[in-house]
Amino acid sequence: MKLHFHKHPHNNFGDDLNAWLWEHFLPDLSAPHIAPNSLFIGIGTLLNSSIPKSEQYEVFGTGVGYGKGLPDIDSSWKFHCVRGPLSAQTLGLPESTAVADPGILVRRVTQLTEGKKIYRFSYMPHVDFGILGNRSLKTICADLGFGFIDPRMSFEQIRNALDQTEILITEAMHGAIVADALGLPWIPVRSHHTILSYKWQDWCQSVKVPYNPTTLTTVFDFPGPFSWSWPKRHLLYPNPLRMLSMKRQLRQIAATVAPTLSQRTVIEDRTQELEHRLEAFRREYGMNALSTSDRTLISAST
């Protein structure tokens, strides 16, 4: 079975979490005898008309959001679960199909330590704006005494950065998802209209928390809707006044905005439901079950 996920040209840990996570929970997914003509669609906002052609589609936790249309769903599609209630409603699926983003399963694989933190706050931008404004954003965070978490880093690096943090200010949805799963409070922010509120609301509703992002100034003078095809002059020179404004806003957010964290009973319930559906998926395809001892070894190795 082929694992399908978005591959960002500059890496993005939310997308790349697929390879890391499914290696732990479905280690034999790509074995030659496991439905070679099927597509496994996991973490991401992937349910649109650009899904590659396949004989069979196995949907496990992805969501609706990007793209110009929905996939042409027929009997070749099997929905084990989707990210949240908005995706289920949009696709006309039963309410029970909405579980949560599979990214929350990281809590079964690793935990944050309870030791002394280095940063009261860390900031994680959306990957695209983190790439464009990397140097400027690092400078702003250093001036504020904040940690800066680059979403292009590996999961292990981001997990370690979260381990040093008390509260995460994030524009990256999977920054919030992983932080929440590991019990780290988070504050959502939004610096551009291309940050998709629908997918955030979809996930937030699945774990019963509100999505009320605080607006941030971007450090660039955008010439219009975001595009990687802009002339490089728009991408290389941040506006100093915008940098100053963003610094003030982040300081204000840290001082006044209450962080979010889902109730532990809710996140545990959603995690267990994902595990039940994973077990059913493994049985369906004759995969080996993942034992408690396997998970203990995985946890100890991270």
Side-chain angles (χ1 to χ4, degrees):
M1 191 175 300
K2 185 177 179 181
L3 174 62
H4 171 68
F5 61 96
H6 177 68
K7 295 181 180 178
H8 194 283
H10 300 279
N11 297 328
N12 177 26
F13 102 100
D15 299 319
D16 299 340
L17 188 57
N18 277 282
W20 187 90
L21 189 75
W22 300 124
E23 177 63 26
H24 287 305
F25 286 92
L26 297 172
D28 43 1
L29 181 67
S30 59
H33 67 284
I34 304 292
N37 298 318
S38 294
L39 206 62
F40 183 88
I41 308 171
I43 298 169
T45 307
L46 302 168
L47 294 176
N48 55 51
S49 58
S50 63
I51 291 280
K53 296 293 183 182
S54 182
E55 291 184 12
Q56 184 73 26
Y57 302 89
E58 305 283 345
V59 177
F60 201 99
T62 191
V64 172
Y66 296 122
K68 296 182 178 180
L70 297 175
D72 186 14
I73 296 171
D74 54 24
S75 60
S76 65
W77 287 76
K78 183 168 185 179
F79 290 89
H80 301 272
C81 55
V82 292
R83 181 171 55 209
L86 297 185
S87 288
Q89 292 167 16
T90 299
L91 295 167
L93 299 172
E95 184 179 347
S96 59
T97 313
V99 180
D101 190 288
I104 68 172
L105 287 167
V106 299
R107 63 198 304 269
R108 290 293 194 255
V109 183
T110 189
Q111 296 178 342
L112 300 181
T113 62
E114 297 181 358
K116 184 178 180 180
K117 305 296 185 180
I118 296 175
Y119 302 107
R120 172 66 175 164
F121 296 93
S122 288
Y123 170 61
M124 181 186 291
H126 183 277
V127 63
D128 290 337
F129 305 120
I131 293 168
L132 299 181
N134 189 272
R135 183 178 299 179
S136 301
L137 296 177
K138 284 182 177 178
T139 298
I140 290 170
C141 287
D143 289 348
L144 291 169
F146 288 9
F148 175 75
I149 304 180
D150 190 329
R152 295 174 294 173
M153 297 191 301
S154 68
F155 174 78
E156 289 83 358
Q157 290 173 313
I158 286 177
R159 183 262 180 213
N160 291 338
L162 293 176
D163 207 21
Q164 299 173 352
T165 300
E166 293 185 27
I167 298 171
L168 178 68
I169 300 173
T170 181
E171 191 170 50
M173 186 180 74
H174 278 92
I177 289 172
V178 171
D180 194 276
L182 298 178
L184 186 74
W186 49 277
I187 297 173
V189 292
R190 189 170 185 256
S191 68
H192 198 264
H193 66 83
T194 53
I195 305 298
L196 194 61
S197 293
Y198 177 98
K199 69 176 186 179
W200 274 88
Q201 292 166 353
D202 194 28
W203 171 67
C204 285
Q205 288 183 28
S206 78
V207 292
K208 301 181 180 180
V209 296
Y211 175 58
N212 297 312
T214 301
T215 300
L216 275 182
T217 296
T218 59
V219 297
F220 292 94
D221 292 315
F222 290 152
F226 174 76
S227 171
W228 280 106
S229 64
W230 288 341
K232 285 188 169 41
R233 66 177 178 273
H234 291 300
L235 308 182
L236 297 178
Y237 302 106
N239 183 314
L241 292 178
R242 285 180 173 272
M243 287 182 63
L244 181 60
S245 178
M246 184 179 185
K247 185 190 299 185
R248 289 172 175 165
Q249 289 168 352
L250 282 172
R251 183 183 290 113
Q252 181 73 5
I253 288 167
T256 63
V257 178
T260 297
L261 185 66
S262 69
Q263 293 184 12
R264 298 299 86 186
T265 53
V266 172
I267 199 74
E268 177 62 21
D269 174 77
R270 298 295 80 198
T271 304
Q272 289 185 17
E273 185 60 34
L274 286 173
E275 289 177 312
H276 294 329
R277 299 193 188 205
L278 272 175
E279 291 294 342
F281 178 81
R282 279 195 288 264
R283 288 195 301 270
E284 180 180 348
Y285 282 100
M287 298 180 185
N288 294 326
L290 198 64
S291 68
T292 302
S293 60
D294 290 332
R295 290 182 181 170
T296 300
L297 290 172
I298 290 170
S299 179
S301 68
T302 54

